[in-house]
Structure formats: structure tokens, C-alpha cells
Amino acid sequence: MVVIVLGNRLNSTEIHEHLRGRVDLGIRLAQELDSEALVMTGGQTNPDVDTTESEVMQEYAVKRGVDPSNILVEPRAKDTIGNAYFSRRAIEQHLNTTTVRIATSCYHVARAVYIFEHCFGDDYDISAPDCYDPNVSTEELDEDRSISLNRQFFAPVELGDLAAVRDRMVEAHSLYDASDFADERDA
């Protein structure tokens, strides 16, 4: 079993409260569920900050006492779809598990689980057993719209077909292009 902590856009090279809450949740879940690894997923989503979300998350987790050898850093994701896609690739390359627990914010759980289920497929047990409540005003969020857009994105993709997800990311996603996948063989 693995716990995947989803990143959140950085404002500086220091971890911010929202991201700290997600990492703290991930650490707690990993301990409670006896996880074999913590996956920190998040790329450089703020061009004004010269580091990735995952690197900041890893640094914070190590300061909190997590053994660095138990952390898998995924530094390429630019959004939740990327979190799921690149985390699956990392898990398949480095770990042997089909049980995935997601650590994210409460407002984000439904969308994150939906995306992870589509990227990982039926062979994986995906859930978010708890969440971090960042006290973000729901007026600032449009999760219903985001879920609707994700349904449209995944409509032509068979559940768990990672190659089709990658192709869709290149063809229909504004944050990714073929260069993001140049080092991959067929998924």
C-alpha cells in the first residue's frame, strides 16, 4: 500500500499552510496504514518559484521525521491528472502495490479519486480515507465545473488505459505536450 500526497501551487520555496496540511495528512495516513512508501507528487507549477512542489513536500516530510528512503518524489505533474498519471508510472517502476490512498484537501477528494480511478483502472484499490480541510471558501472553488471538465477529458479513454491517458494529455490538455513524455516508452 502506498499513500500519494497531492501537491498544491507554491508561492515561494517554503511550504505553505495548505500544502503542509496535505503532507501532514499523508504522513499520518502512512503511519496509520503501514504504507510502504509516501509518494510526493507535484511539479514546478509556479514559474516564479524555482523548485517543484514534490521537492518542498519531501523536504518538509524529512524534517518531520520521515525516512527519505520511504519517499518517492514525482516532480512532473502540473495538475491532478498529471498527479495520477505520473504517480502510476512511478509506482509501477519502483513499487509493487495495487492499493493507493490519496492525501489531499477535502474540497478536492471527489475529483482526485475520480481522476485516479480513471488513470489507475480496476486493478487498483483507490480511496481517500481522510482529507485535509484548508478552510478555503467554497465560493473560490468550482469543483463541480472541474469534475465536469474531467469527465469530458476521460470520456474517450478506457478505464486504466495509461497510453490513452497520455495521448489525451498531449492532444487535449493545455498544460502538457509531447515533450512531457519524451523519455517514456509506450505506457
Side-chain angles (χ1 to χ4, degrees):
M1 195 267 297
V2 65
V3 174
I4 301 175
V5 184
L6 306 189
N8 188 264
R9 186 180 174 101
L10 296 171
N11 303 313
S12 73
T13 58
E14 300 296 317
I15 193 165
H16 54 75
E17 181 182 350
H18 191 139
L19 190 54
R20 185 172 36 252
R22 288 182 179 189
V23 177
D24 286 339
L25 170 64
I27 292 169
R28 182 175 58 78
L29 288 173
Q31 292 169 343
E32 289 175 1
L33 303 172
D34 196 27
S35 173
E36 65 183 274
L38 263 173
V39 177
M40 304 296 186
T41 175
Q44 184 180 357
T45 58
N46 184 342
D48 297 328
V49 178
D50 191 29
T51 191
T52 66
E53 296 164 7
S54 58
E55 291 166 329
V56 169
M57 295 159 65
Q58 177 189 33
E59 180 180 307
Y60 175 74
V62 169
K63 285 180 183 174
R64 293 282 322 274
V66 177
D67 183 339
S69 68
N70 292 333
I71 300 173
L72 182 59
V73 175
E74 182 295 296
R76 296 166 56 181
K78 300 173 188 173
D79 70 340
T80 309
I81 294 171
N83 292 144
Y85 176 87
F86 292 115
S87 291
R88 179 172 166 199
R89 297 286 295 185
I91 288 168
E92 289 178 345
Q93 290 172 4
H94 301 285
L95 302 168
N96 183 25
T97 187
T98 58
T99 304
V100 174
R101 299 297 173 251
I102 301 168
T104 192
S105 307
C106 295
Y107 71 83
H108 190 234
V109 166
R111 178 165 47 111
V113 169
Y114 175 84
I115 291 168
F116 272 73
E117 287 174 343
H118 278 76
C119 285
F120 279 75
D122 288 334
D123 292 338
Y124 289 84
D125 174 16
I126 306 288
S127 71
D130 200 354
C131 58
Y132 167 69
D133 185 359
N135 296 315
V136 175
S137 168
T138 55
E139 288 80 40
E140 296 175 33
L141 306 169
D142 194 353
E143 282 300 298
D144 290 340
R145 181 174 183 277
S146 292
I147 290 172
S148 176
L149 291 171
N150 281 286
R151 284 194 175 111
Q152 292 172 22
F153 177 87
F154 284 106
V157 177
E158 186 177 326
L159 200 66
D161 184 346
L162 209 53
V165 172
R166 180 198 57 223
D167 292 347
R168 189 86 173 120
M169 290 170 76
V170 170
E171 296 165 5
H173 199 302
S174 63
L175 296 178
Y176 299 96
D177 61 39
S179 68
D180 293 301
F181 308 93
D183 64 335
E184 293 185 11
R185 297 172 200 206
D186 200 17

